[in-house]
Amino acid sequence: MTDAIVVGAGLGGSSTAMFLARRGVDVLVVERHESTSPHPRAAGQQPRTMEFLKIGGVADDVLAVSHPPSAFKIKVAESLRGTVIHSIIENYGELLDQVSVLSPAGWGSATQDQTEPLMLAQARKHGADVRFATELVSFEQDGDGVTAQLLDLTSGRTQRVRAKYLIGADGNRSPVRERLGIPRSGFGRLSNHIGIVFDADLSDVLPKGEQWLYYLQNPAFTGAYINLNLPNRHIFSIEYHPENGESFDDYPESRIAELMRIGLDSPDLELEIIWKGPWEMAARIADRWRDGRVFLVGDAAKVTPPTGGLGGNAAVCDGFDIAWKLAAVLHGEAGPGLLDSYEPERKLAAQMIVNESLFNYVHRMAPHLAGPDIPEPVGPIEAVLGVRHTSNAVIPEDNDGSPTMNPFEIAGEPGFRAPHVILPSGESTLDVWGAGWALLGGPDGNWDKIDAGIQYRSLGEQYDRFGVGREGASLLRPDGVVAWRTRSNADEDTLKNVLREVLCC
Ligand SMILES: Cc1cc2nc3c(=O)[nH]c(=O)nc-3n(C[C@H](O)[C@H](O)[C@H](O)COP(=O)(O)OP(=O)(O)OC[C@H]3O[C@@H](n4cnc5c(N)ncnc54)[C@H](O)[C@@H]3O)c2cc1C
């Protein structure tokens, strides 16, 4: 019996497989396509994602193919040279400088077709069995595991495989979620779009070396344009209206090219369409993210408008979360109850990013939807670095219930990501929790004398940043979230009891 079957090799599946394999879990990945998707789709890795990708061993590769992030600009305009309706980001450098205080992990701008193969290569390097052209056709679960029927699409042969757990990272339409009968809630369908990947020389319209994202509110159409980190490769999207009887087929290449030339202010532009396809913009969250031994990850668990670039990032963060918890349970370091923390923690994060993306969508692409039905977002930095983790894997101090905090004001409160500080050892806190559970102690505490089987570092004079005083300590989980803190000295038994509680042993 294998430990885990991961269904789907998108961002959710490839990240889950990489994080599981790196933690020594036997993992089988099945993907029905013959390779990863050639569509660039999700371009951009936020600092929290980069922190996890560093632990996965691919952060340097991602940064190597990324634009200098300071060159990223976002506008809402009629066309590339037309009237600017809103300027969303003029100077990304300023935002990045601010955020680098919170996390030194940086920002990536690699596209999905670049990151998925990197993560799968890491997964394979650490022993994962990755099978393309292989479809999960059905599964059943019992008390001990999951039995999956896999179809080899090349040979037509089916195979029965047993696993202890199954991860449905099978995208928005998720056959795994459908089979479990798990409904989704939320705003639902927002609009329908034609996604286009194309090659063209736009150097006379756009400055070289900069990355541009334009939301286009043109009298002829609504859409978006983004240039990629490959020379002359770009993405375009055009909204179409099934509610008015339109379909994707009403947009032959000639009509698409005509609208693109209008939006790009380049009436004579020579362009080559590499790929085009319809996609639905929607905001939906699965009511349950777990059914027994089956977990949903990525778009299978929630789908968010791409306005804000949060969906792919959230898929990687889901993958990290389920992987460290599943690995701890499989290795006998935690009780199965730890897995109960996956849904509440990741679902709240999903709600925050869906609110953010929905708000951006209305502001940037659909101003007619503005109104009381659109939830007020908490802000992009809060949604990424300031979300509370409320579950049995955290011992809370206060219970004010606020789902987020301003990350610049977080001072070691349990349930929030630990502040990034440089410790007397010269390491960032990020490097310490990246290696597993960690205890950080105030300079006058006796924590260095306690052996609870986890790493220990002194906070030195940084104790205030963690709110633990000179004698206290802070316990960090392998995702950098503060699981517990105390302001006074404690003995080994106390610490071991705390660990047993948050590990659900
Ligand atoms: C046009 C567009 C632009 C976007 N831009 C951004 C962005 O800039 N930033 C961002 O963060 N996000 C963006 N997103 C969102 C991002 O692409 C998704 O959130 C991300 O792809 C989710 O990854 P996933 O692995 O959950 O799902 P997917 O990428 O959909 O992968 C699911 C995989 O499961 C496979 N599968 C399904 N069923 C089976 C089965 N039965 N057996 C085997 N395999 C199966 C599928 O073939 C597929 O490869 C964008 C999305 C779109 C559509």
Side-chain angles (χ1 to χ4, degrees), residues 182-263:
I182 298 177
R184 290 187 288 176
S185 306
F187 215 89
R189 187 194 82 90
L190 293 158
S191 48
N192 289 75
H193 299 256
I194 299 166
I196 303 136
V197 181
F198 72 103
D199 281 349
D201 179 1
L202 282 168
S203 52
D204 60 334
V205 195
L206 290 172
K208 262 213 160 85
E210 293 192 346
Q211 189 178 15
W212 281 89
L213 169 55
Y214 270 92
Y215 293 97
L216 301 169
Q217 292 182 19
N218 189 281
F221 73 103
T222 298
Y225 161 82
I226 185 163
N227 62 342
L228 296 174
N229 50 355
L230 296 172
N232 295 340
R233 175 79 34 110
H234 319 258
I235 297 182
F236 206 89
S237 83
I238 296 169
E239 183 175 347
Y240 68 102
H241 299 275
E243 66 279 13
N244 300 340
E246 272 191 335
S247 79
F248 174 63
D249 296 335
D250 293 326
Y251 285 77
E253 261 189 42
S254 54
R255 186 174 177 196
I256 289 176
E258 186 190 319
L259 293 173
M260 287 170 68
R261 290 189 180 105
I262 293 173

Side-chain angles (χ1 to χ4, degrees), residues 19-20 45 72 83 105 121 129 131 137 140 158 195 210 234 246 254 290 297 324 362 375 378 417 434 488:
F19 295 128
L20 282 173
Q45 293 74 36
F72 188 42
T83 308
D129 178 0
R131 297 187 202 167
V137 284
E140 305 290 339
T158 54
E210 293 192 346
H234 319 258
E246 272 191 335
S254 54
R290 174 189 187 178
V297 158
W324 79 259
V362 171
V378 291
R417 175 183 163 279
S488 51

